[in-house]
Amino acid sequence: MSDANKAAIAAEKEALNLKLSPIVHLPENIGVDTPTQSKLLKYRRSKEQQQKINQLVIDGAKRNLDRTLDKRTPLLPPPDYPQTMTSEIKKKGFNYIYMKQCVESSPIVPIQQEWLDHMLRLIPESLKEGKEREELLESLINEVSSDFENSMKRYLVQSVLVKPPVKWLEDEEGPLPESPVGLDHSNPWRSSYVQARNQIFSNLHIVHPTMKMLLDLGYTTFANTVLLDFTGIRAKGPIDCESLKTDLSIQTRKAEEKIMNTWYPKVINLFTKKEALEGVKPEKLDAFYSCVSTLMSNQLKDLLRRTVEGFVKLFDPKDQERLPIFKIELTFDDDKMEFYPTFQDLEDNILSLVERIAEALQNVQTIPSWLSGTSTPVNLDTELPEHVLHWAVDTLKAAIHRNLEGARKHYETYVEKYNWLLDGTAVENIETFQTEDHTFDEYTEELDCCVVWEVYV
């Protein structure tokens, strides 16, 4: 056997004699949470850094507090008076002053810079320009800060100390203001809020969608209109009061018919739809229709009120361009001079027009009455309030008297100058003159006067 073969055989034997390394078994407690492993798993670097930061903040606050306390004015020792010089009242007073100084020397939190910045933002920029104004703003900020600090000290003193009944103590500027009375939030409010909201939705019918449509319909129909047109009365020229009364009465009746033929059918159409009562409970139906009637009544009352106000404004002496021109004749009948129609008749006719306007739209049925078709209809309350009618009557009376002052003065002038010709005074004077002895010239003068009287009469 050659050497090469021997070497190969020896190498194979040596390779067969190799052994694997022994198997290493894991410890039995490798899956158990030991104290060392638990501490390692719970460790957080962020917590450790947060603790360090908190400690730094606390240390800084302590240093600031120490600096503040060092800057405080040292407290004065309590006065030491002999017992023979002080009474109980003085002791209480001096003790209060001492305690007050102690309280006032405690640190006060200054006003926040955010508050000052907000105050400055309320000042227009034009008032901040210029060096002088900057100095003024700085002094203003200092004054506000000082007032804030003094107010806080005063509040602290009055909150901590009770002022004894000593007359010679300085005035503390009155008692502290009472705390504002507000809502009690000591108990949970969620359930009461939900209950109140549901109650509002169930009882406040004006927020119902149908109510909104009714409100829009009334606003569109009545917002820019009145029952009567007062613009063309002045242009008609002189008119009889009775003619004006008749014309306005006819206009009122036509306007009333127009409303009942246009607006009222639309309102009825709203409540004949299925969705008109959507969300309204049966037990709340009467309250809902009552709200409807109130809304319709308010719309019609407002229309009547604005019509009355427009009629009253027609006689405003300050607005001469709209004043009506009435025909008034100065008559002489049965030895009496007077105006026709009289001032009182004219006033009564004008005031009667207010009553005619107030009588309009008084027979408008309520929605439930119309829907039910009852034999005895129930009408809306569209009667104008008494204070509106009283105001209109009083204002018109004052305006009529003021506008008739010229005619009244004209009448008084006629009566003053010529009434003696009508009441028999002139005849008595002539008869007296005839019984007396006069010269020819006096007879001539008296005869001329008689001729003038006869011509006038």
Side-chain angles (χ1 to χ4, degrees):
M1 182 176 297
S2 63
D3 294 336
N5 292 334
K6 291 180 179 180
I9 293 172
E12 292 178 358
K13 289 181 178 182
E14 185 178 358
L16 292 174
N17 291 333
L18 291 177
K19 296 180 179 180
L20 297 174
S21 59
I23 299 172
V24 178
H25 297 281
L26 297 175
E28 296 179 359
N29 60 349
I30 189 171
V32 180
D33 189 6
T34 60
T36 304
Q37 292 175 338
S38 177
K39 183 177 180 180
L40 181 61
L41 293 174
K42 291 181 180 180
Y43 174 76
R44 295 293 185 273
R45 178 66 175 172
S46 60
K47 291 184 178 181
E48 183 178 356
Q49 291 178 344
Q50 186 64 39
Q51 291 178 356
K52 290 182 178 180
I53 293 173
N54 293 340
Q55 188 63 38
L56 291 175
V57 173
I58 294 173
D59 294 341
K62 288 182 178 179
R63 287 194 299 271
N64 293 335
L65 178 60
D66 293 338
R67 285 196 296 268
T68 303
L69 295 177
D70 293 340
K71 292 180 180 180
R72 286 194 307 173
T73 305
L75 301 178
L76 298 176
D80 187 11
Y81 294 102
Q83 296 292 332
T84 57
M85 294 180 60
T86 58
S87 61
E88 290 298 326
I89 296 179
K90 282 188 177 181
K91 288 181 180 179
K92 290 181 179 179
F94 290 142
N95 181 63
Y96 175 78
I97 293 175
Y98 172 72
M99 295 298 295
K100 178 183 175 182
Q101 292 175 351
C102 294
V103 174
E104 288 179 344
S105 62
S106 61
I108 300 295
V109 179
I111 186 172
Q112 298 183 18
Q113 186 63 35
E114 295 179 359
W115 299 356
L116 296 176
D117 295 340
H118 182 68
M119 295 178 190
L120 291 176
R121 283 196 296 269
L122 298 177
I123 301 175
E125 293 296 333
S126 59
L127 300 179
K128 299 179 184 180
E129 299 175 355
K131 185 176 181 181
E132 296 181 356
R133 294 184 178 181
E134 291 180 357
E135 295 177 355
L136 181 61
L137 286 176
E138 186 177 357
S139 64
L140 179 62
I141 293 299
N142 295 334
E143 182 179 355
V144 171
S145 302
S146 177
D147 291 343
F148 177 83
E149 185 176 353
N150 294 334
S151 299
M152 293 298 294
K153 286 183 179 180
R154 175 173 170 267
Y155 179 82
L156 187 61
V157 170
Q158 295 187 359
S159 300
V160 175
L161 302 179
V162 178
K163 182 181 178 182
V166 180
K167 296 182 179 179
W168 51 268
L169 285 176
E170 62 180 355
D171 186 16
E172 294 297 322
E173 300 180 3
L176 290 174
E178 297 182 359
S179 299
V181 180
L183 298 176
D184 183 10
H185 297 288
S186 57
N187 297 323
W189 52 267
R190 172 67 181 175
S191 59
S192 60
Y193 165 75
V194 174
Q195 181 181 0
R197 184 186 64 180
N198 295 334
Q199 188 175 5
I200 288 174
F201 283 146
S202 61
N203 296 326
L204 192 61
H205 302 295
I206 194 62
V207 299
H208 195 275
T210 306
M211 291 292 186
K212 183 178 181 301
M213 290 187 288
L214 177 60
L215 189 63
D216 293 340
L217 179 60
Y219 179 81
T220 304
T221 307
F222 304 128
N224 300 318
T225 185
V226 291
L227 284 178
L228 302 176
D229 182 15
F230 304 116
T231 57
I233 296 179
R234 176 76 175 189
K236 293 180 180 179
I239 56 175
D240 295 331
C241 189
E242 289 292 339
S243 300
L244 177 64
K245 182 178 178 180
T246 303
D247 292 343
L248 294 184
S249 298
I250 294 174
Q251 285 189 39
T252 303
R253 185 176 65 254
K254 290 182 178 179
E256 188 175 4
E257 293 176 355
K258 181 179 179 182
I259 290 174
M260 296 303 296
N261 292 329
T262 56
W263 170 77
Y264 193 71
K266 293 179 181 178
V267 173
I268 296 297
N269 185 43
L270 283 178
F271 293 93
T272 55
K273 298 178 181 179
K274 295 181 179 179
E275 59 271 15
L277 303 178
E278 185 177 354
V280 181
K281 298 179 180 179
E283 61 272 15
K284 298 291 184 179
L285 195 59
D286 292 339
F288 178 79
Y289 279 125
S290 176
C291 184
V292 173
S293 300
T294 302
L295 179 57
M296 294 173 64
S297 298
N298 291 341
Q299 291 175 341
L300 296 177
K301 285 181 180 180
D302 181 69
L303 175 64
L304 295 176
R305 178 188 59 80
R306 287 186 289 108
T307 304
V308 170
E309 290 177 353
F311 181 71
V312 172
K313 191 177 180 181
L314 190 65
F315 294 86
D316 187 2
K318 298 179 181 179
D319 191 1
Q320 298 289 334
E321 296 181 355
R322 300 185 62 191
L323 276 174
I325 304 175
F326 293 106
K327 290 181 180 179
I328 301 179
E329 298 177 355
L330 183 60
T331 63
F332 176 72
D333 190 14
D334 296 334
D335 297 335
K336 185 178 179 181
M337 185 184 303
E338 61 181 357
F339 282 109
Y340 179 80
T342 63
F343 293 162
Q344 186 61 44
D345 292 340
L346 180 64
E347 180 180 320
D348 293 341
N349 287 329
I350 293 175
L351 295 181
S352 65
L353 287 173
V354 176
E355 299 178 359
R356 178 63 187 92
I357 296 173
E359 292 173 357
L361 299 173
Q362 299 300 311
N363 297 320
V364 181
Q365 278 187 272
T366 61
I367 299 301
S369 176
W370 190 93
L371 294 177
S372 60
T374 56
S375 57
T376 305
V378 179
N379 297 328
L380 295 173
D381 178 19
T382 57
E383 185 177 355
L384 281 174
E386 288 295 329
H387 71 274
V388 175
L389 296 177
H390 289 327
W391 167 82
V393 171
D394 295 340
T395 306
L396 281 175
K397 285 183 177 180
I400 292 171
H401 291 172
R402 198 178 304 115
N403 289 322
L404 292 178
E405 285 180 359
R408 187 177 291 107
K409 290 181 180 179
H410 183 69
Y411 171 77
E412 292 174 355
T413 302
Y414 267 95
V415 171
E416 181 181 355
K417 288 184 178 181
Y418 306 111
N419 190 54
W420 64 281
L421 295 173
L422 308 175
D423 59 3
T425 303
V427 176
E428 292 179 0
N429 292 339
I430 294 174
E431 292 177 354
T432 303
F433 183 81
Q434 290 176 349
T435 59
E436 299 174 351
D437 294 333
H438 296 282
T439 62
F440 180 78
D441 294 335
E442 290 176 347
Y443 274 106
T444 303
E445 183 179 355
E446 186 70 15
L447 183 60
D448 292 337
C449 292
C450 291
V451 171
V452 173
W453 299 339
E454 289 294 336
V455 170
Y456 174 77
V457 175

